[in-house]
């Protein structure tokens, strides 16, 4: 497996850069915190960080599928919003396996300032030039200074290439490339994007194009109707190979670290060993409603909504519609992972469905 080039993340402040050292997933029953260098004390900015992470207010959970994190940094981060873009990118790199930790050799160092709104648009912040001046030269890899577009004209200096950005996706493309940015933040198909109001002709043209695509999707849905009967009757467990891909991230029993997701073949119904999370994906084109749930004896004493996730979205294929759910790491008895997918017609009714069910035995011997 190819090694992912590591990226060091520095959040630019007027007191100097603050490095993101580590990000760890935590129990959904607690709140997200930011701490300095492994300390026991949460920084005052932690409540704002928790709101930034957790749905429905936040944006990190929407990308990662997990609602609570502990993030360690090298120095305090003050109140305000200029840390948001850098923290979001750090979470994306952590999910991708590219976040550099202390002692790692980074291929790239990014210095970041900027706020984020709910739509992942970068919002202006103050003292941009001052923050760059306080940073000094990068000591690892190529240096990139990411800042909000249109606030100030910032020249390249001291080993930093100045790059203004308008959104989090722009920043991800700069750091990871377009393909990986698309995997982390899938874009809706062109006909689903909001059209500009500056040109009535352009809006009308896009609307007509959208209606044509909807008509084609309906015809495709009708064509798939016989396949729906096949999927619903395939196998005693309702598993439909080809519509749902399922994978499990194993948890190291010593370090507690999450490993890379392991594909689970359609004929496998049991996973033995500690697990971090389950992930399902749908590769075919169309509009889908996908659901995941983790159930077991623990369900009677926790907030069950934490272990149920649902997503409805249009995908253009390429294994890009993904849903992820965590396992309760403290549970030692078997749990069950349920995954369902419905391909929807234009009226929202399912024309093809599939289901996967997997028993996960945390105390079992890993055999993946």
């Amino acid at each position: 497996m190819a090694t992912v080039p590591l990226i060091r993340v520095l959040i630019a402040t007027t007191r100097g850069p603050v490095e993101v050292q580590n990000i760890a997933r935590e129990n959904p029953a607690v709140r997200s915190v930011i701490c300095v260098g492994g300390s026991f004390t949460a920084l005052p900015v932690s409540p704002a960080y928790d709101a930034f992470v957790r749905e429905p207010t936040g944006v990190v959970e929407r990308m990662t599928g997990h609602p609570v994190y502990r993030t360690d940094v090298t120095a305090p981060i003050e109140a305000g919003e200029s840390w948001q873009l850098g923290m979001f990118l750090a979470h994306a790199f952590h999910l991708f396996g590219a976040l550099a930790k202390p002692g790692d050799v980074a291929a790239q160092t990014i210095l970041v300032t900027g706020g984020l709104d709910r739509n992942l648009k970068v919002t202006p912040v103050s003292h941009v030039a001052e923050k760059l001046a306080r940073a000094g030269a990068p000591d690892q890899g190529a240096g990139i200074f990411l800042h909000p577009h249109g606030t100030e004209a910032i020249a390249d200096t001291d080993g930093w290439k100045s790059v203004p950005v308008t959104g989090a996706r722009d920043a991800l493309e700069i750091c990871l490339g377009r393909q990986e940015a698309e995997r982390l933040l899938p874009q809706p198909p062109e006909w689903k994007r909001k059209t500009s109001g500056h040109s009535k002709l352009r809006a009308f043209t896009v609307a007509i194009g959208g209606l044509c695509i909807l008509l084609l999707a309906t015809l495709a849905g009708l064509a798939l109707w016989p396949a729906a009967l096949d999927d619903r009757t395939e196998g005693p467990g309702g598993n439909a190979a080809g519509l749902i891909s399922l994978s499990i991230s194993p948890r190291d029993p010593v370090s507690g670290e999450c490993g890379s997701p392991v594909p689970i073949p359609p004929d496998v119904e049991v996973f033995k060993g500690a697990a971090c999370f389950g992930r399902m994906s749908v590769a075919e084109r169309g509009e889908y409603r996908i659901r995941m749930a983790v159930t077991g004896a623990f369900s009677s004493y926790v907030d069950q909504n934490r272990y149920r996730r649902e997503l409805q979205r249009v995908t253009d294929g390429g294994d890009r519609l993904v849903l992820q759910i965590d396992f309760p790491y403290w549970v030692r008895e078997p749990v069950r992972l349920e995954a369902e997918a419905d391909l929807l017609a234009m009226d929202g009714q399912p024309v093809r469905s599939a289901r996967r069910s997997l028993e996960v035995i945390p105390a079992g011997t890993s055999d993946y």
Side-chain angles (χ1 to χ4, degrees):
M1 182 180 294
T3 303
V4 177
L6 299 180
I7 303 174
R8 184 183 180 206
V9 178
L10 304 179
I11 295 175
T13 77
T14 54
R15 297 185 179 183
V18 175
E19 182 177 358
V20 179
Q21 295 180 307
N22 190 46
I23 295 177
R25 299 153 68 94
E26 296 293 343
N27 188 336
V30 300
R31 294 186 179 277
S32 294
V33 294
I34 297 179
C35 302
V36 175
S39 70
F40 298 114
T41 304
L43 293 176
V45 75
S46 292
Y49 171 61
D50 181 68
F52 179 72
V53 169
R54 190 191 300 262
E55 289 274 32
T57 56
V59 294
V60 173
E61 182 181 0
R62 195 178 356 153
M63 174 179 63
T64 67
H66 189 74
V68 179
Y69 292 88
R70 173 189 167 120
T71 294
D72 286 280
V73 295
T74 54
I77 295 176
E78 305 297 336
E81 299 178 348
S82 62
W83 51 270
Q84 292 177 346
L85 175 59
M87 198 61 73
F88 183 85
L89 294 177
H91 275 279
F93 300 153
H94 176 258
L95 181 65
F96 187 65
L99 180 64
K101 299 179 180 180
D104 290 337
V105 177
Q108 186 179 147
T109 297
I110 63 169
L111 178 69
V112 193
T113 186
L116 275 184
D117 66 15
R118 176 68 178 170
N119 297 316
L120 300 181
K121 299 296 183 183
V122 177
T123 57
V125 295
S126 59
H127 307 293
V128 175
E130 180 183 351
K131 292 172 182 176
L132 176 59
R134 292 271 185 171
D139 57 7
Q140 280 191 40
I144 300 177
F145 178 45
L146 301 175
H147 56 89
H149 186 275
T151 52
E152 303 177 44
I154 306 296
D156 297 351
T157 182
D158 233 0
W160 297 103
K161 180 181 180 181
S162 178
V163 182
V165 290
T166 59
R169 183 186 172 84
D170 299 342
L172 285 175
E173 286 191 12
I174 291 166
C175 298
L176 296 176
R178 178 171 298 180
Q179 182 177 358
E180 301 307 336
E182 174 69 20
R183 288 186 178 274
L184 290 167
L185 294 179
Q187 284 188 337
E190 191 68 34
W191 65 274
K192 292 283 283 185
R193 295 178 191 163
K194 189 175 181 180
T195 58
S196 170
H198 295 297
S199 171
K200 293 183 179 180
L201 179 60
R202 178 174 178 270
F204 178 75
T205 302
V206 173
I208 292 298
L211 288 174
C212 292
I213 293 176
L214 283 173
L215 179 59
L216 291 173
T218 302
L219 294 174
L222 292 174
L224 286 171
W225 180 254
L229 299 177
D230 293 341
D231 276 352
R232 285 176 174 143
T233 58
E234 181 176 351
N239 293 342
L243 188 60
I244 291 179
S245 296
L246 194 62
S247 57
I248 297 292
S249 168
R251 182 186 297 276
D252 186 280
V254 178
S255 67
E257 292 289 325
C258 298
S260 299
V262 178
I264 305 298
D267 59 341
V268 173
E269 298 182 353
V270 178
F271 179 91
K272 296 180 180 180
C276 284
F277 59 83
R279 180 181 292 171
M280 68 176 290
S281 62
V282 176
E284 299 179 13
R285 292 176 181 269
E287 182 171 2
Y288 286 88
R289 181 169 55 240
I290 58 178
R291 297 173 293 274
M292 294 188 79
V294 177
T295 61
F298 76 96
S299 301
S300 62
Y301 54 84
V302 299
D303 180 2
Q304 296 185 30
N305 290 329
R306 287 293 173 196
Y307 296 97
R308 299 181 187 274
R309 296 187 62 81
E310 182 171 329
L311 179 65
Q312 182 169 330
R313 187 179 296 171
V314 173
T315 176
D316 61 356
D319 205 29
R320 290 176 180 169
L321 186 58
V322 177
L323 191 61
Q324 184 170 302
I325 194 167
D326 293 309
F327 291 101
Y329 66 86
W330 68 92
V331 172
R332 294 295 176 265
E333 69 268 16
V335 298
R336 184 163 293 278
L337 175 65
E338 306 283 355
E340 300 178 5
D342 294 323
L343 174 62
L344 305 178
M346 188 172 62
D347 61 358
Q349 296 302 310
V351 296
R352 189 181 181 197
S353 301
R355 179 174 178 270
R356 291 286 308 269
S357 182
L358 183 72
E359 185 179 22
V360 178
I361 307 177
T365 301
S366 300
D367 55 4
Y368 44 83

